[in-house]
Amino acid sequence: MQIIEDRRALHQIPELDRDLPETMAYLRRSLEPLGCQVFSPMEGALCAYFDFGAEKTIAFRSDADALPITERSDAAYRSCHVGKMHACGHDGHMAIALELARRMDKKQRLERNVLIVFQPAEETTGGARDLCDTGVFLNYNVEAIFGLHLWPGVAAGEIFSRANEMMSRSCEVKVKITGKSAHIAKAYEGIDAMAAGVVFYQKVRELEQALPPEIFRILSFGKFQSGTVCNAVAGETVLEGTLRAFQDEVFFHLRDGIRTIGQEIAATTGCIVDIHMNDGYPAVMNPPALYDKIRGMVDFHELPVPSMITEDFSWYQRHLEGLFFFLGTGDSPALHADNFDFPEEILVKGAEFFEKIAEAYR
């Protein structure tokens, strides 16, 4: 089956970030024989435009980059690039998009033109944002974009989605508290960074727990390091954690609260508190109206709770309406695992699902 051949060929040539010459060459060779306009709006990206003579266009997106992971597999199609691997299923996403292109090539007329987008840097700096900045969606009058992700832990070959919260916004939280070390027998000569870190941690947890339970969010620390020996006041404490939320007001409320707590700790303890947090990708929020519209056209399952993992598909949703889905891989290894694989027969389900949207969209 061609879709499986595509997946295996792409799996063998994983490339990182925006440096995707072999991947782009494979995609271009596959698309150019079809009746579509093939073009590259920016480095590491490729688009295929099927003009059905309609006024408006809908888009389908695939990511194309891999991860800096050494693959642990005996499969004949394992990675040929040492230290690089399609461990997040982007090879499967590209194979689905290529199959969709072949199916679009056989259509005589649809109510919307179709733009298929292959983007770089989903795993790194957010290639979706840069692709939006090229103006390609304005130039081709795109009114909605659709994407999916292979997803372990849900039924293989089944499509899932939900309205509103789908995938979270995320940022790393890195905190360095600097006090003054002193022998424990003369603790009064020091400034205890460990004690300050404990209070900081407790106050941040209280900040998060004060939010209503129905608000999806995470604010938690997985790393707390302090001190060097048992008989000295700790001169430094380092905490590292993650902040994840969906609504911008919740995200920024928690982020601002972390900074305020840091200032309070510095003022009351005499420690220096340095806090670093990045903006991360926005949350993937599926518009309820578009969700209901598509659900009236094609069948899929409702996801009961959102994922707290991030996805740069959210940048598309900041520029135009977009809907994101999961395609279940069943009991497969986890995403980003060095042995990630999935039942390849599910890929045709993704292509069929996108084809139904293209056919039914009005």
Side-chain angles (χ1 to χ4, degrees), residues 147-169:
L148 62 73
H149 204 297
L150 299 182
W151 209 253
V154 294
E158 299 294 326
I159 303 288
F160 293 80
S161 188
R162 71 192 312 273
N164 296 308
E165 300 98 335
M166 182 68 180
M167 300 184 76
S168 74
R169 183 169 193 153

Side-chain angles (χ1 to χ4, degrees), residues 109-126:
R109 176 161 177 78
L110 294 175
E111 293 298 317
R112 296 292 188 272
N113 307 315
V114 171
L115 180 70
I116 300 175
V117 176
F118 300 86
Q119 69 146 91
E122 191 281 323
E123 299 288 358
T124 52
T125 56

Side-chain angles (χ1 to χ4, degrees), residues 162 165 209-217 246-247 250 305-306:
R162 71 192 312 273
E165 300 98 335
Q209 291 168 6
L211 291 174
E214 64 269 18
I215 294 178
F216 296 106
R217 82 283 184 175
F246 290 89
Q247 293 76 17
V250 174
V305 294

